[in-house]
Amino acid sequence: MNIIWNKSSEQFHLYNDRISYIIGVAPCGELSNLYFGKRIHDRDDFTYVMFRMGMPNIVVDADTESYSMELNRQEYPSFGTTDFGTQAFEVETSNGSRISSFVYKDHRIYKGKHGITGLPATYAEDDEAMTLEVDLEDEVAKMSITLFYTVFEDYPVIARHASFTNTGSERAKITKALSGCLDLPDPDYEWIQFSGAWARERIPKVRKLSDGITSIESKRGVSSANQNPFVIVKRPNTDEFTGEAIGFSFVYSGNFIAMAEGNSYKRLRILMGINPDRFSWPLDAGQTFETPEVVIAMTDRGLNDLSRTYHRLYNNNLIRGKWKNEPRPILNNNWEATFMNFTEEDILKIAAKAKEAGVELFVLDDGWFGDRNDDYAGLGDWKENPEKLPQGMAGLSRKINAMGLKFGFWIEPEMVNPDSNLYRRHPDWVLSVPGRKSSLGRHQLVLDFSREEVVDHIYGMLHKVISSSSISYIKWDMNRSLTEVYSLEAAAEDQGTIYHRYVLGVYRLYSKLIEAFPDILFESCSSGGNRFDAGMLYFAPQAWCSDNTDAIDRIRIQYGSSYGYPIVSIGAHVSAVPNQQTGRTVSISTRANVAYFGTFGYELDLNKLPEEDFLEVKKQIEFMKKYRRLIQFGDFYRLRSPFETDQCAWMTVSPDRKQAIVGMYCLRSNVNTLPGFLKLAGLDENTLYRMEGREYYGDELMNMGITLDLFYKNGFTVSEDYSSFVAVIEAV
Ligand code: DGJ
């Protein structure tokens, strides 16, 4: 990895073994993108890739030899001079002008990577990455912009963000500040987004790109289940194993926009950042605003390779603390077993059976605090309900620990029910517009986390419960979108900052809790997967993937999630049948065969299982304990798509390629068909492997494939709905 500055041509070349990213100062002084793709040799000058043509209707800069921004690729484009595309940022000066021209001023190149104040970001040691900071200045606007680029040694990745500083003496306003822009020289790409809704999150949807705009966004205050802040552009012939693709992953948990725009000259512009709708940020003299980070990954080896890049980068350089690269505890959560209707005795019975099965961690979900017996009351009152927990969290955690289980509990710190002591005492602490009704979501209002005192107060309450007990895990939930976003404390001109300040408040509370309790494993949750994003992973190393725990639906949800997020971050549990969300009945083995490919746990009362299922659960837990490092941290391959076929298959391979596990699932039976073949991947061609009592060479498994009737004896048959198998492959 290196970053070269070629002074005579004023060009930067960032590269590692797999990629080159080349930027130059254009004749107009702004930065132009010259290349991003597979690694190429360095040269003194790549200016020849800039177009200089005076064509009718194109506005050119007369002083700079017919250079038009519209015809060239920009690095951080503005609007208002010679580019008519969508701009990456917009600054409004005190005289009302929104025209800007930020020209190259200075730069710094250094080893490693700095953090971003108050925001999550990838991190790197000095030998893992190099960073370039380029300062741009607009003398008229009296503002400077610094663009940050990090190239990693081990990943085909560029991480980007920007910062704005008011260098003048008057207040200015930023009305748009995206994190990055990538202009590509041709538009022959398809766009993959991960869309859905509650209980059907992150479903891949593919669109062909063309002239004009393709875009997704969130305006819900959370990254959202509707559109995930991760997109891929790929060549039309790129598949899981071959071809070019570029991923854009936003390390942020609030409103966002991701956009592709093809212009009339074959330029394809990709933009990602905080959604400019409802955003504005006043900047007084000397103040700085920093954007979140966007992680741009590139592959010429297909989508599986792109996903593995994100899996590895996020496991090694985003997730932090004790749980970084640590296999996750097998847990039992009581939510679907009891909902809010439980006594301590009920909980202890469920926990005792969980312990008997081999579970390691018991999680008490919603309903333990305040007057929380249904979802109409109690949120905000983070004090144990003595009727449910007579000796408080301290007493319950002691009893659970005495069984030999770790203990954790559920919180939803950003919310308040109108029927709560917190709301009665502080009705002005919610997001609401004076004189207007505030919309309820699950009978709750959103606390104004843009205010420090609100965050500090919630922290105080939570700190008390956590520090009085023995807590190893916390599930942090968030169950509604933000509406009527207005802070009763902020001035009129600051109201455009509130969505972002809210997210900063969430991150601040996470940071304070992590600092106070560094060993706690946090699992983020937002009505399931409503806030499953790279920003959250910096604080909570795993995320409850969906409230839909039906194994068959989960195959699709987990398959979609695997494109951008590590397997170890995907919260997945076995739940009861008929499934509470879908009414579907699926065998205990298929339920586990799906949940293995995630954090793994149980979301039910094991006392209620038939004896033979309980015996099976014991075996499942033994299996997961033995193979969880391989499954959670191995090289993951999607083999067969449940979106294109009635089957699904995926596998994970150990880094030394001596061990692998394959999962195969039948979503819908097909009568009178042959079982067919499944080609495996990622193995060593010359190694002899054993699977299900037979031996095969790696090349045989990967090129010829296995015939699926081999697994009939394990209960898998392509002619039976919801059958599945998981097989271990080991080098002989
Ligand atoms: C929504 C979560 O996704 C569920 O798992 C559960 O924790 C409930 N909230 C509790 O209210």
XYZ file of all heavy atoms in Angstrom, residues 335 365-366 410 442 475 477 479 525 527-528 544 547, ligand 1:
129
model
N -38.277 -13.272 24.927
C -39.321 -12.432 24.337
C -40.485 -13.249 23.759
O -41.624 -13.128 24.195
C -38.718 -11.489 23.288
C -39.758 -10.654 22.590
C -40.067 -10.683 21.264
C -40.637 -9.678 23.180
N -41.068 -9.791 20.985
C -41.439 -9.158 22.150
C -40.826 -9.204 24.478
C -42.419 -8.190 22.359
C -41.795 -8.230 24.703
C -42.585 -7.742 23.650
N -35.873 -9.901 28.152
C -36.295 -8.892 27.176
C -37.223 -7.865 27.829
O -37.260 -7.717 29.058
C -36.933 -9.599 25.962
C -36.720 -8.846 24.659
O -37.450 -7.869 24.420
O -35.826 -9.217 23.877
N -37.983 -7.178 27.021
C -38.860 -6.069 27.414
C -39.811 -6.464 28.550
O -40.296 -7.603 28.585
C -39.663 -5.692 26.159
C -40.372 -4.373 26.278
O -40.323 -3.773 27.364
O -40.971 -3.957 25.270
N -32.720 -6.211 28.219
C -33.198 -5.377 27.113
C -33.411 -3.937 27.569
O -33.899 -3.703 28.673
C -34.535 -5.967 26.659
C -35.288 -5.247 25.568
C -35.304 -5.562 24.237
C -36.213 -4.152 25.711
N -36.161 -4.722 23.550
C -36.723 -3.843 24.444
C -36.649 -3.390 26.808
C -37.645 -2.823 24.204
C -37.567 -2.357 26.582
C -38.057 -2.086 25.291
N -45.992 2.752 18.182
C -46.078 1.750 19.246
C -46.362 2.441 20.590
O -45.735 2.141 21.599
C -44.780 0.945 19.338
C -44.976 -0.421 19.953
C -43.664 -1.073 20.334
N -43.870 -2.429 20.787
C -43.000 -3.139 21.476
N -41.833 -2.645 21.774
N -43.279 -4.345 21.843
N -29.309 -5.794 25.067
C -29.991 -5.653 23.767
C -30.599 -4.259 23.741
O -31.483 -3.958 24.537
C -31.076 -6.719 23.646
C -31.923 -6.626 22.384
C -32.893 -7.802 22.332
C -33.887 -7.713 21.202
N -34.892 -8.780 21.276
N -32.779 -1.701 21.929
C -33.858 -1.689 20.931
C -34.233 -0.255 20.563
O -33.865 0.706 21.259
C -35.062 -2.427 21.553
C -35.989 -3.026 20.508
O -35.871 -2.692 19.319
O -36.861 -3.830 20.909
N -37.843 1.276 18.620
C -39.017 0.719 17.946
C -39.930 1.683 17.196
O -41.116 1.409 17.057
C -39.854 -0.067 18.970
C -39.238 -1.420 19.239
O -39.035 -2.211 18.322
N -38.900 -1.701 20.474
N -30.748 -3.372 17.944
C -32.019 -3.900 17.477
C -32.890 -2.700 17.195
O -32.778 -1.680 17.874
C -32.625 -4.761 18.587
S -34.312 -5.297 18.251
N -36.824 -2.808 16.159
C -37.933 -3.627 15.661
C -37.350 -4.685 14.732
O -37.775 -4.853 13.594
C -38.945 -2.794 14.888
O -39.484 -1.799 15.690
N -36.350 -5.390 15.213
C -35.612 -6.303 14.343
C -34.534 -5.512 13.631
O -33.720 -4.855 14.261
N -29.770 -7.624 16.030
C -30.918 -8.516 15.842
C -31.429 -8.243 14.434
O -31.845 -7.143 14.101
C -31.963 -8.254 16.931
C -33.161 -9.145 16.892
C -34.467 -8.731 16.948
C -33.196 -10.577 16.817
N -35.301 -9.817 16.909
C -34.550 -10.965 16.822
C -32.219 -11.558 16.728
C -34.952 -12.293 16.756
C -32.627 -12.883 16.653
C -33.970 -13.239 16.671
N -37.333 -9.238 13.282
C -38.344 -9.814 14.183
C -39.010 -11.024 13.553
O -39.763 -11.735 14.222
C -39.421 -8.766 14.505
C -39.013 -7.915 15.697
O -38.033 -8.262 16.368
O -39.690 -6.901 15.943
C -38.764 -5.410 19.152
C -37.632 -6.380 19.096
O -37.212 -6.575 17.782
C -38.066 -7.683 19.754
O -37.059 -8.646 19.617
C -38.382 -7.421 21.188
O -37.222 -7.045 21.876
C -39.457 -6.333 21.292
N -39.126 -5.166 20.514
C -39.668 -5.934 22.714
O -40.543 -4.895 22.836
